[in-house]
Amino acid sequence: PFGNVESTQSSVLVNRYSQIVKNQKTNNQDFLLSNEECTLSKTYDTSQLRPVGLRFGLSKHSRLEINEEFPIKITTFISFKFRTLQSDGLMFYASDAQFEDFIAVWLEDGFVHYAFDCGSGFMHIKSKRQYGDGRYHTLTIKRDKQLGTLLISDRTNTTILENIESKSNGDASSLSVVEPYYFGNIPEADKFQLSSVQSDLIITEPFIGCMSDFNIAYRPLKTSVLEKIDLMNCSNNHESGLFFTGQTSDSFAILSNYLSLKEPFEMS
């Protein structure tokens, strides 16, 4: 439907994205692609682009696993940068083997949520602002026994946007989580092991966007030695928006339910 629109405006837009390419078979002479050929390649090489983080959400299994124990039982410090245009997604999760003690960070309707449970009652903080704006933000969660802190600042971590504290309603103060720790999502099998309290509270949909500068217990993580599942490098040169692989028949996006086809509307 979009390709068959015959108007001056659409013609200008199509011509704007025509591109010069090299013809290797004709002594490297330049030639102009026709409008019909002006499409993005299904695959592209990112090796020459400067990586600025990891892109999550290429599949429902997309996640980063940290199979190393960190000293976060009594006090906790976890920090990372994130950028997304989506409103929901799990950003960090860790728990004990029985999925009772846990600590989690997620997005819901664009708001950042932070919660933990040391075994006798959970603490829950919700940000006052929404962050699905496509800009980089620095997110830090802290815990000192039952006291939790959510700190959100700008990309350079120089301007604090929010600093919220709350305390759990339980007496336990030791967080008995074990590796692996997860960024971006958790395995599908683990989602069925969550208690009703956690499943009702935490968004377990995969995070779609970019994350970088991971830090646990004041120690920067080297992503080159971590287990990356269905991830690729993010770059500021990449196109923004949803990423469709084009390799499967079930790669699609669903419009919000409030859109009614019975009423006039405009789509762009």
Side-chain angles (χ1 to χ4, degrees):
F2 292 110
N4 294 330
V5 173
E6 296 293 333
S7 68
T8 302
Q9 183 180 7
S10 63
S11 177
V12 171
L13 289 175
V14 171
N15 288 328
R16 176 184 172 190
Y17 289 101
S18 295
Q19 51 186 303
I20 300 294
V21 297
K22 295 290 186 179
N23 185 353
Q24 300 295 335
K25 295 183 179 181
T26 57
N27 299 321
N28 289 332
Q29 295 296 317
D30 293 345
F31 71 98
L32 186 66
L33 286 175
S34 67
N35 291 340
E36 291 78 12
E37 294 175 305
C38 183
T39 57
L40 288 173
S41 173
K42 291 182 180 179
T43 60
Y44 52 91
D45 182 17
T46 62
S47 61
Q48 302 303 315
L49 300 177
R50 183 177 67 87
V52 293
L54 294 176
R55 176 178 289 193
F56 292 74
L58 300 183
S59 78
K60 67 178 182 179
H61 306 291
S62 178
R63 63 184 182 271
L64 180 67
E65 293 189 5
I66 295 88
N67 292 285
E68 182 180 352
E69 185 178 3
F70 287 84
I72 62 174
K73 291 186 177 182
I74 304 300
T75 60
T76 305
F77 178 93
I78 297 170
S79 179
F80 57 91
K81 289 182 172 63
F82 74 95
R83 179 182 69 180
T84 183
L85 291 170
Q86 304 302 301
S87 57
D88 301 284
L90 181 63
M91 291 194 282
F92 177 80
Y93 182 85
S95 72
D96 62 7
Q98 291 75 37
F99 296 93
E100 295 176 354
D101 285 21
F102 76 90
I103 183 169
V105 183
W106 69 94
L107 280 172
E108 184 173 0
D109 295 329
F111 296 95
V112 175
H113 291 251
Y114 164 39
F116 67 80
D117 190 339
C118 296
S120 60
F122 69 86
M123 185 244 35
H124 179 210
I125 293 175
K126 176 184 175 182
S127 69
K128 298 178 181 179
R129 297 173 52 171
Q130 294 173 297
Y131 292 93
D133 54 7
R135 297 180 179 180
Y136 267 109
H137 304 281
T138 303
L139 190 155
T140 302
I141 58 171
K142 300 178 182 179
R143 186 187 63 86
D144 184 3
K145 299 179 181 179
Q146 295 104 322
L147 180 65
T149 303
L150 172 65
L151 182 66
I152 302 176
S153 60
D154 63 352
R155 177 180 59 85
T156 59
N157 203 19
T158 55
T159 302
I160 297 176
L161 304 176
E162 297 194 54
N163 188 354
I164 307 173
E165 289 186 349
S166 185
K167 194 173 184 179
S168 69
N169 52 17
D171 297 327
S173 60
S174 178
L175 185 67
S176 300
V177 297
V178 296
E179 69 277 8
Y181 310 145
Y182 299 103
F183 283 97
N185 200 6
I186 59 176
E188 291 297 310
D190 287 2
K191 295 180 182 180
F192 297 102
Q193 304 296 322
L194 300 183
S195 65
S196 58
V197 172
Q198 292 187 54
S199 59
D200 291 340
L201 176 68
I202 302 172
I203 292 292
T204 57
E205 295 300 317
F207 173 81
I208 300 175
C210 293
M211 286 195 279
S212 65
D213 298 282
F214 304 96
N215 188 307
I216 300 179
Y218 300 96
R219 190 174 118 196
L221 304 181
K222 295 182 179 179
T223 57
S224 58
V225 298
L226 303 177
E227 185 171 357
K228 297 186 280 279
I229 300 173
D230 289 350
L231 300 178
M232 65 182 294
N233 286 336
C234 278
S235 170
N236 289 330
N237 300 92
H238 282 179
E239 71 285 351
S240 62
L242 292 176
F243 185 82
F244 295 88
T245 64
Q247 298 175 351
T248 61
S249 60
D250 58 353
S251 180
F252 60 89
I254 300 176
L255 295 175
S256 300
N257 293 330
Y258 60 79
L259 178 64
S260 172
L261 299 181
K262 297 180 181 179
E263 303 295 332
F265 68 93
E266 180 179 308
M267 179 182 295
S268 62

